[in-house]
Amino acid sequence: MRKGIGGLVAKAQDVLKQDTRSGAVFAFRGGRGDRIKLLHWDGQGFCLYYKILEKGRFPWPSPAEGAANLTSAQLAMLWEGIDWRRPTWTSPPDRVG
């Protein structure tokens, strides 16, 4: 997790072969799994978001799966430390009245 914006942009371009100015959000997880950085181009510059979990680890695909494309809901779950691959759905509310 030592890389800054420049290093993460280079990694997304060289390793993932992605256009970092496409509007996509790129997620990078630390080796221990408790740290995550999100990189996003907002049209004027790059934004870098960094989060460290006090407990637990961020869920992550195995290296064999390669890059993962997430929906905005899955990305929100990832940011909250929820396993976006196996979310637990709640039951629908009871009918009122």
Side-chain angles (χ1 to χ4, degrees), residues 9-96:
V9 167
K11 188 165 228 165
Q13 290 173 342
D14 299 340
V15 176
L16 300 175
K17 307 293 186 210
Q18 297 290 319
D19 177 11
T20 53
R21 290 188 167 103
S22 66
V25 177
F26 297 92
F28 302 89
R29 190 182 77 154
R32 291 186 304 211
D34 65 340
R35 298 157 195 261
I36 193 170
K37 288 183 180 180
L38 301 181
L39 179 70
H40 172 68
W41 172 260
D42 72 354
Q44 296 178 318
F46 285 102
C47 301
L48 184 62
Y49 304 94
Y50 184 47
K51 186 171 185 175
I52 302 171
L53 290 178
E54 288 186 11
K55 295 180 185 176
R57 298 173 55 162
F58 287 102
W60 209 251
S62 70
E65 295 172 9
N69 293 317
L70 305 180
T71 66
S72 58
Q74 289 170 324
L75 180 61
M77 285 188 278
L78 173 65
W79 186 250
E80 294 299 325
I82 300 169
D83 191 345
W84 50 269
R85 299 165 298 184
R86 293 180 299 280
T88 302
W89 302 105
T90 59
S91 59
D94 293 332
R95 185 177 170 101
V96 179

